[in-house]
Amino acid sequence: MKGDVRTLSVSSSIFLHGATGPRGHLTGIIDDDDNEGKEEHVIQHEKIRPYTRKWEPEVMDTITELDFIVKRKDFGVRRSCDVVHNVPAVFFSTAGYTGNLFHEFNDGILPLYITSQHLNKKVVFVILEYHNWWITKYRDILSQLSDFPVIDFNGDKRIHCFPEAIVGLRIHDDLTIDSSLMENNKTLGDFRDLLDRAYWPRIRGLLKEEEREAQLNVAKSTFSPSSRTKRKAVKKPKLVIISRKGSRAISNEDKLVKMAKSIGFSVEVLKPVRTTELAKVYKVLNSSDVMVGVHGAALTHFLFMRPGSVFIQVIPIGTDWAAETYYAEPSRMLGLRYIGYKILPKESSLYDDYDKNDPILSDPSSLNKKGWEFTKKIYLDRQIVRLNLGRFRKRLLRAYNYSIARKNKLRHHQLQ
């Protein structure tokens, strides 16, 4: 919308005034609840739910519906503006599947970047179903997309006036940015650069503290010949394991950690929860060489890894399509080296619950055809993974050798 845009949150409405339609082509007559009993001609009246998952009617029904009303220039009384903005607005909802990390990025943050980045931070975000925790969680990212405070559409009863507005967000594909549809051909890599800018101020102090501690430790052993050798050696590759509890957890995770260390990795087990500060997760993964995790929403954190790093996804039975679509394809687009590890039936807890010839084990695709709810109930909610460590070791060795070679190459370039 371009022109005189005004909000009226008490009636969940957005008005565009001063628009003139073709003569004799008015689309309706409405009462705009001004309590004056006047009917005013309008050119267009639509209802819009500003959420990206238009193909899922069940979740769309939970989203607040906005009335979008275009009024003729020569009809009606315009309500006075309580707040006048000189930059555009973007209206969107943080309801729906918000609370799940995958959906928060896939349905919200990435579409918000796609929709607003070309405005160069000169934009006001107007949020329906506003959540304080969401604002706190994503404040760092929002600050890189807008220079202005966020508006709580339902909670702020003032009339806000804008010269332009976009209602709803554009989505390309799962955790994906289609550069051909972006101004200046922006990519998923550009989005990750934005994450760098967003989180760096928060983690800079932590990094400085770690550097000071490291310098003190080095100073204590400055004259040790062995310490000189260590300083010249290539640092161990860092492997981060995204740990889960309950469904799709790795039951022999402790043995996986020991095996990774025996190969030569420095290992960190990350257990993110909904309340975990994203800057802290970003700090861990931004400094990692390899990330390992079982298919699930937490793997969305691959967005925090540096291009060229290794991402190993453990694929439980019955999740092949979702694993490829939601994480494998986007991670390659980001420039990660992706390795998929599809577990065998014996590596699944379902092997203990069903006969080996049961279609749940022998033909998962036939079960998936019954619908998402069935897939979720069997393969996502009731499956635990116990890795065949001998088999999985091959993937870790491949990741280790690649990481060492990459570190040597980077070190060689730095010395030149």
Side-chain angles (χ1 to χ4, degrees):
M1 295 177 286
K2 289 187 178 182
D4 183 353
V5 180
R6 305 189 182 202
T7 65
L8 189 63
S9 62
V10 293
S11 62
S12 295
S13 303
I14 304 172
F15 294 88
L16 175 58
H17 291 277
T20 304
R23 182 175 298 177
H25 192 64
L26 302 180
T27 60
I29 299 176
I30 68 165
D31 189 322
D32 72 348
D33 289 333
D34 61 5
N35 295 320
E36 296 177 7
K38 296 180 180 179
E39 292 184 336
E40 300 184 62
H41 289 273
V42 301
I43 297 171
Q44 188 175 354
H45 181 189
E46 296 183 12
K47 293 183 180 295
I48 298 174
R49 298 181 190 270
Y51 190 65
T52 49
R53 302 189 77 82
K54 306 297 187 186
W55 61 92
E56 293 192 30
E58 293 81 5
V59 72
M60 290 306 300
D61 286 343
T62 68
I63 307 301
T64 294
E65 189 172 63
L66 290 175
D67 278 296
F68 164 51
I69 301 166
V70 183
K71 292 194 172 185
R72 283 186 56 172
K73 182 178 181 180
D74 51 349
F75 279 85
V77 177
R78 303 186 191 186
R79 299 173 185 275
S80 60
C81 301
D82 296 314
V83 185
V84 177
H85 304 269
N86 60 4
V87 297
V90 171
F91 292 74
F92 63 98
S93 173
T94 55
Y97 292 130
T98 298
N100 174 289
L101 188 75
F102 170 83
H103 288 289
E104 286 171 11
F105 272 91
N106 186 68
D107 307 341
I109 296 298
L110 268 171
L112 185 61
Y113 173 81
I114 290 169
T115 305
S116 67
Q117 60 82 31
H118 70 284
L119 297 171
N120 298 314
K121 301 175 72 174
K122 304 306 177 184
V123 57
V124 174
F125 296 142
V126 185
I127 301 180
L128 286 73
E129 285 99 11
Y130 180 101
H131 301 288
N132 285 323
W133 68 263
W134 188 91
I135 297 297
T136 299
K137 186 173 184 176
Y138 292 107
R139 180 178 288 120
D140 294 333
I141 297 176
L142 295 175
S143 70
Q144 295 300 313
L145 292 173
S146 171
D147 286 331
F148 301 90
V150 169
I151 294 174
D152 176 0
F153 180 80
N154 302 101
D156 189 340
K157 303 304 181 184
R158 295 176 297 175
I159 295 176
H160 291 264
C161 298
F162 301 93
E164 184 177 345
I166 300 171
V167 182
L169 304 178
R170 301 185 180 96
I171 186 170
H172 290 169
D173 210 336
D174 296 302
L175 293 180
T176 295
I177 293 175
D178 185 342
S179 61
S180 68
L181 301 176
M182 296 290 289
E183 187 171 312
N184 298 320
N185 301 114
K186 294 289 187 180
T187 66
L188 198 58
D190 292 302
F191 173 74
R192 197 198 174 282
D193 290 341
L194 178 139
L195 296 181
D196 258 338
R197 298 193 298 272
Y199 292 125
W200 178 249
R202 173 68 181 93
I203 64 178
R204 182 167 45 198
L206 295 174
L207 291 174
K208 286 183 177 180
E209 288 181 10
E210 291 178 0
E211 288 174 3
R212 283 195 293 268
E213 289 180 5
Q215 288 171 358
L216 288 174
N217 291 333
V218 170
K220 292 177 181 178
S221 56
T222 300
F223 301 104
S224 168
S226 60
S227 68
R228 295 193 194 102
T229 303
K230 289 180 181 178
R231 287 199 297 275
K232 292 180 181 179
V234 176
K235 189 177 180 182
K236 285 184 177 182
K238 178 181 176 181
L239 181 143
V240 175
I241 298 173
I242 304 294
S243 182
R244 292 181 62 97
K245 289 183 178 180
S247 66
R248 283 163 288 147
I250 298 175
S251 62
N252 54 346
E253 186 178 276
D254 55 339
K255 293 182 179 179
L256 170 62
V257 171
K258 291 179 181 179
M259 183 177 72
K261 289 181 177 179
S262 71
I263 289 174
F265 283 109
S266 168
V267 181
E268 181 166 350
V269 178
L270 189 62
K271 300 179 180 180
V273 295
R274 178 176 171 177
T275 56
T276 302
E277 184 183 357
L278 288 181
K280 293 181 178 179
V281 180
Y282 189 87
K283 177 178 174 294
V284 172
L285 289 174
N286 185 56
S287 62
S288 70
D289 298 287
V290 182
M291 182 179 87
V292 174
V294 180
H295 173 75
L299 294 192
T300 305
H301 289 119
F302 80 79
L303 292 168
F304 295 178
M305 300 182 72
R306 293 168 299 177
S309 303
V310 181
F311 169 31
I312 303 177
Q313 179 177 202
V314 177
I315 307 170
I317 295 172
T319 64
D320 297 37
W321 179 88
E324 178 65 24
T325 301
Y326 299 145
Y327 302 111
E329 290 181 9
S331 69
R332 295 188 192 103
M333 185 175 292
L334 186 61
L336 302 184
R337 187 178 180 89
Y338 174 78
I339 299 175
Y341 179 81
K342 183 178 177 180
I343 72 170
L344 299 175
K346 288 185 178 181
E347 294 175 89
S348 170
S349 60
L350 298 177
Y351 191 80
D352 300 326
D353 300 331
Y354 298 92
D355 183 85
K356 64 179 181 180
N357 295 317
D358 192 297
I360 286 178
L361 296 174
S362 63
D363 190 12
S365 61
S366 67
L367 274 297
N368 288 334
K369 291 178 182 178
K370 292 185 177 182
W372 171 250
E373 286 304 318
F374 191 88
T375 298
K376 182 177 183 298
K377 180 180 178 181
I378 298 295
Y379 295 118
L380 298 184
D381 296 343
R382 293 174 51 190
Q383 190 168 189
I384 303 295
V385 173
R386 49 176 180 268
L387 292 174
N388 179 328
L389 296 179
R391 183 168 173 256
F392 192 73
R393 182 183 179 87
K394 298 176 182 178
R395 269 69 170 186
L396 287 188
L397 283 171
R398 193 192 314 171
Y400 178 82
N401 292 332
Y402 168 83
S403 298
I404 287 293
R406 185 166 175 266
K407 282 181 174 291
N408 282 326
K409 184 177 181 180
L410 290 173
R411 185 166 177 266
H412 177 73
H413 285 310
Q414 290 171 354
L415 292 175
Q416 284 184 329

